[in-house]
Amino acid sequence: KNEVEQSPQNLTAQEGEFITINCSYSVGISALHWLQQHPGGGIVSLFMLSSGKKKHGRLIATINIQEKHSSLHITASHPRDSAVYICAAHSGGGADGLTFGKGTHLIIQP
Amino acid sequence: SQTIHQWPATLVQPVGSPLSLECTVEGTSNPNLYWYRQAAGRGLQLLFYSVGIGQISSEVPQNLSASRPQDRQFILSSKKLLLSDSGFYLCAWSAGHYGYTFGSGTRLTVV
């Protein structure tokens, strides 16, 4: 069974700082997801990636398949980026679901 | 476009009462459907998944059950809730390798 570890667990930063959240997994995967969970609980899918790098606005996600590691970066962070960021690994085809990290609780202070 | 509806958003139920959470998907057919739970201080954990009508697989033994009466409907139930059933419940669907779409979640508090 895949084990997904995220770091840090909690991160507080000042507005404008560059943020990096890390995710490591133990078993080879077909895809890795980055999710955002706001205080109300709703979850938004940010990225799904299986190699390389993806960018959406101020968010960048990278993955290194050989090292079994992914990072989520936020440039020019803003208080509205405050949320829990979760990585989830998809280990197989179809029905076996995702293995989730415990999440990184990010607070951006103005 | 594909959407997923999950309700209610929040629920407070007494111990011993029944539970029914519903999730429906639009804009796709024969999706894989999932129920996840996030207990306090823990990551999301897969509870049930379904690859078709009437086909339910359970990942962990618990006080809950799931049913899929229609292709795009997935229901999470309990006959008698326990305090330990409190948590955040999330429905999701996928079509194989095309990523996952998540519902908005239900925060259940058992009192």
Side-chain angles (χ1 to χ4, degrees):
Chain A
K1 186 174 173 69
N2 214 344
E3 307 221 344
V4 178
E5 300 287 338
Q6 279 185 245
S7 63
Q9 286 189 311
N10 297 283
L11 178 58
T12 300
Q14 296 298 311
E15 183 173 357
E17 285 189 40
F18 181 81
I19 303 298
T20 296
I21 298 170
N22 297 300
C23 176
S24 299
Y25 49 92
S26 58
V27 177
I29 62 171
S30 59
L32 186 124
H33 299 255
W34 280 102
L35 314 170
Q36 181 189 56
Q37 184 176 29
H38 278 285
I43 286 188
V44 174
S45 179
L46 299 175
F47 296 104
M48 181 185 73
L49 65 166
S50 54
S51 65
K53 176 180 173 178
K54 286 190 176 181
K55 185 176 188 294
H56 185 237
R58 294 180 295 106
L59 301 177
I60 303 167
T62 64
I63 189 167
N64 184 317
I65 298 297
Q66 287 74 28
E67 295 185 3
K68 296 186 176 63
H69 180 268
S70 177
S71 293
L72 176 69
H73 305 286
I74 305 175
T75 62
S77 59
H78 189 276
R80 65 174 174 266
D81 297 324
S82 299
V84 177
Y85 292 84
I86 302 169
C87 70
H90 185 205
S91 300
D96 65 338
L98 300 170
T99 302
F100 293 82
K102 291 185 179 179
T104 294
H105 189 191
L106 174 65
I107 297 174
I108 303 297
Q109 295 177 334
Chain B
S1 64
Q2 301 95 353
T3 57
I4 182 168
H5 301 281
Q6 184 181 344
W7 67 92
T10 59
L11 190 59
V12 180
Q13 291 283 98
V15 168
S17 64
L19 173 73
S20 180
L21 301 180
E22 187 163 341
C23 174
T24 60
V25 179
E26 294 178 1
T28 187
S29 59
N30 198 31
N32 296 329
L33 296 172
Y34 307 87
W35 277 110
Y36 295 93
R37 178 172 64 193
Q38 182 181 45
R42 302 183 67 178
L44 283 155
Q45 182 182 35
L46 180 64
L47 298 177
F48 300 96
Y49 68 89
S50 171
V51 299
I53 296 174
Q55 300 178 61
I56 308 294
S57 296
S58 174
E59 286 292 300
V60 293
Q62 59 223 317
N63 184 42
L64 302 167
S65 62
S67 62
R68 185 169 177 174
Q70 300 179 45
D71 181 46
R72 285 171 279 184
Q73 184 184 32
F74 204 23
I75 298 171
L76 183 70
S77 304
S78 174
K79 292 183 179 177
K80 287 186 179 182
L81 283 169
L82 306 172
L83 287 174
S84 58
D85 292 324
S86 293
F88 180 73
Y89 290 83
L90 189 67
C91 178
W93 77 271
S94 75
H97 296 285
Y98 297 106
Y100 285 71
T101 301
F102 296 92
S104 52
T106 297
R107 188 158 300 282
L108 171 67
T109 304
V110 182
V111 297

